[in-house]
Amino acid sequence: MNDVQRTLRKAIKADISVVSMHTNLDNARGGVNFKIAERLQAASVVPMGDEQHPGQWVIAQLQEPMMACDFIHYVKKRLEAHTAMCNELLLRPIRRVAICGGAGDFLLDSAVAKGADAFLTGEMHYHQYFGYEQQIQICVVGHYESEHFTKQLLRDIIAEACPEVRTVLAETTTNPIIYI
């Protein structure tokens, strides 16, 4: 029995309902990427997508432009990330940020094509960092770190739609990656 099966079994035995909507929430207006933009206190957020990648990312406009090093430290602070993996620091201010929580490396070229100054995601393959020097600032904070505020998002959605339903946020951390 794997971890998911064990978790579901425990929930069923404890008479706890489980709702799983990971990819749906990634693609939804007001979903994961909007929550990241909210954490960054973005001035505006525009959903992006095309036939190949409908609605899976956003471009957020920062309230004030900032230099790459400041941007990276700001992202780490706002997302409570321990570290960030980046390409060469961009030598011009960052204002437009393409955001895709989780594993968004497949959208890097789309972010460049849309004129983003920075690309923020949770994970990216090593070789994709090459070839974008001074074109776009890549900032990769970790899959978990890019999505861990989602539970608050779900709580708020449920509380608004069904105020009579009691919601409790789990305090457990399920990130299998530790930073030393």
Side-chain angles (χ1 to χ4, degrees):
M1 189 177 298
N2 65 32
D3 287 343
V4 172
Q5 292 166 331
R6 277 192 293 280
T7 301
L8 287 174
R9 177 176 276 190
K10 284 181 182 179
I12 290 167
K13 285 182 177 182
D15 202 23
I16 296 172
S17 298
V18 175
V19 178
S20 177
M21 58 181 78
H22 187 120
T23 303
N24 298 11
L25 202 54
D26 286 345
N27 295 336
R29 279 188 188 262
V32 172
N33 300 317
F34 286 85
K35 187 65 174 177
I36 294 170
E38 177 186 303
R39 297 288 307 172
L40 296 181
Q41 300 175 318
S44 66
V45 183
V46 178
M48 292 287 132
D50 53 35
E51 291 176 13
Q52 191 176 8
H53 312 298
Q56 292 182 339
W57 60 298
V58 300
I59 290 188
Q61 189 90 4
L62 297 176
Q63 290 185 19
E64 297 291 330
M66 56 182 81
M67 294 309 291
C69 191
D70 296 329
F71 168 74
I72 292 162
H73 287 292
Y74 179 73
V75 167
K76 286 173 51 181
K77 179 181 177 185
R78 299 298 303 165
L79 297 184
E80 299 174 11
H82 299 281
T83 189
M85 295 182 291
C86 307
N87 62 339
E88 175 182 279
L89 294 180
L90 200 62
L91 297 177
R92 60 181 164 79
I94 293 170
R95 180 92 189 229
R96 290 172 45 90
V97 182
I99 300 171
C100 182
D105 58 1
F106 64 98
L107 290 167
L108 181 58
D109 288 328
S110 296
V112 170
K114 292 289 186 182
D117 301 311
F119 180 64
L120 172 59
T121 192
E123 61 181 272
M124 205 163 97
H125 289 89
Y126 173 79
H127 288 97
Q128 290 184 285
Y129 287 84
F130 290 103
Y132 295 93
E133 298 80 8
Q134 298 308 310
Q135 191 173 17
I136 192 167
Q137 182 63 61
I138 297 169
C139 183
V140 180
V141 295
H143 196 116
Y144 175 86
E145 289 77 5
S146 73
E147 295 182 338
H148 70 104
F149 294 103
T150 305
K151 62 186 176 184
Q152 294 154 352
L153 175 64
L154 288 170
R155 178 205 51 212
D156 295 346
I157 291 169
I158 293 168
E160 184 178 324
C162 308
E164 70 284 356
V165 174
R166 182 174 160 259
T167 58
V168 179
L169 294 179
E171 294 181 17
T172 54
T173 300
T174 57
N175 187 1
I177 299 169
I178 62 169
Y179 300 92
I180 297 175

